[in-house]
Amino acid sequence: MRPKPGRKAREAEINKVRIGGGELRSRIVTFPEAEGLRPTPDRVRETLFNWLGQTLYGRSCLDLFAGSGALGFEAASRGAERVLMVEKNTLVFRALKENVGKLACANVVVRHQDGLEFVRRDTQRYDVIFLDPPFQSDYFPALLEILPQRLNQNGVVYVESGAAVEVPSPWRVLKSGRAGQVWYQLIQIE
């Protein structure tokens, strides 16, 4: 019988995410402890990429509030032409940059900035926006007002939160689900 791993080993496991599909499948992304940082669960990521289609060839993606980078790295692994990750926390930002180098992701760019401030000033358009702000934030109303101007035609936004998010017009929910404490939706402009 194997002994239970010690506290440090358990904490180290918490700080790793395995990429689930694409070119980087099974590669590990590591990240530091940070308040509010919780990677999108494997099952939820699998569902999301089933909704999006297994490949994202030629698509441009924005991963706001990137955190572990799990969503952005999955998109990059699945052929996204460009993935822009935005992260405010300095330690987490550094880990994202290290992971970009370690995984040799030429299609990923990382910005050190608050997600809401970034999207207010950004002029680019995206096919897929991953929106997973800190669960305790009140960012959704402002973000859902700004994001229509950041989407390409037929673009979608993935929303992850700690409670169901009511999306106002002109948004419509394409798909939705719940896994434990995580609510998630794929939304689009009507």
Side-chain angles (χ1 to χ4, degrees), residues 16-18 20 38-49 68 70-71 74 132 135 158 160-161 178-184:
K16 294 179 183 177
V17 173
R18 185 177 305 278
R38 45 169 176 69
T40 300
D42 292 348
R43 189 175 92 197
V44 174
R45 278 187 285 130
E46 181 180 347
T47 299
L48 168 61
F49 285 94
S68 69
L71 296 174
E74 283 284 355
D132 182 11
F135 278 4
Y158 166 76
E160 187 174 311
S161 59
R178 180 178 177 197
Q181 302 292 324
V182 177
W183 298 76
Y184 54 98

Side-chain angles (χ1 to χ4, degrees), residues 38 40 48 61-66 71-72 115-116 119 128-135 137 139-148 156-162 165 167 171 182-187:
R38 45 169 176 69
T40 300
L48 168 61
C61 301
L62 173 62
D63 188 358
L64 278 176
F65 313 98
L71 296 174
L116 183 57
V119 81
V128 180
I129 298 175
F130 301 110
L131 185 56
D132 182 11
F135 278 4
S137 75
Y139 285 173
F140 282 114
L143 288 165
L144 293 177
E145 187 175 309
I146 296 167
L147 291 180
V156 295
V157 174
Y158 166 76
V159 176
E160 187 174 311
S161 59
V165 174
V167 293
W171 295 100
V182 177
W183 298 76
Y184 54 98
Q185 302 173 327
L186 194 62
I187 63 175

Side-chain angles (χ1 to χ4, degrees), residues 12-171:
E13 285 182 35
I14 291 171
N15 296 325
K16 294 179 183 177
V17 173
R18 185 177 305 278
I19 298 171
E23 180 180 308
L24 301 172
R25 181 185 175 106
S26 297
R27 299 285 303 271
I28 301 292
V29 174
T30 58
F31 55 93
E33 288 288 326
E35 184 178 339
L37 194 153
R38 45 169 176 69
T40 300
D42 292 348
R43 189 175 92 197
V44 174
R45 278 187 285 130
E46 181 180 347
T47 299
L48 168 61
F49 285 94
N50 283 336
W51 292 348
L52 293 174
Q54 291 298 314
T55 62
L56 297 178
Y57 289 111
R59 294 190 190 174
S60 177
C61 301
L62 173 62
D63 188 358
L64 278 176
F65 313 98
S68 69
L71 296 174
F73 286 118
E74 283 284 355
S77 179
R78 294 165 189 262
E81 184 174 312
R82 179 174 180 252
V83 177
L84 177 58
M85 295 182 184
V86 180
E87 176 55 48
K88 180 179 179 178
N89 181 295
T90 301
L91 290 175
V92 177
F93 166 76
R94 287 182 190 147
L96 288 169
K97 292 208 43 112
E98 287 172 18
N99 284 315
V100 167
K102 178 177 78 174
L103 298 172
C105 291
N107 55 341
V108 177
V109 174
V110 184
R111 294 282 305 270
H112 185 217
Q113 192 172 353
D114 175 73
L116 183 57
E117 289 303 314
F118 172 83
V119 81
R120 282 184 172 145
R121 292 187 172 102
D122 186 34
T123 59
Q124 298 293 310
R125 290 187 172 264
Y126 305 91
D127 299 301
V128 180
I129 298 175
F130 301 110
L131 185 56
D132 182 11
F135 278 4
Q136 307 309 319
S137 75
D138 60 353
Y139 285 173
F140 282 114
L143 288 165
L144 293 177
E145 187 175 309
I146 296 167
L147 291 180
Q149 295 85 32
R150 303 297 175 263
L151 282 175
N152 285 326
Q153 187 173 359
N154 299 318
V156 295
V157 174
Y158 166 76
V159 176
E160 187 174 311
S161 59
V165 174
E166 293 292 323
V167 293
S169 181
W171 295 100

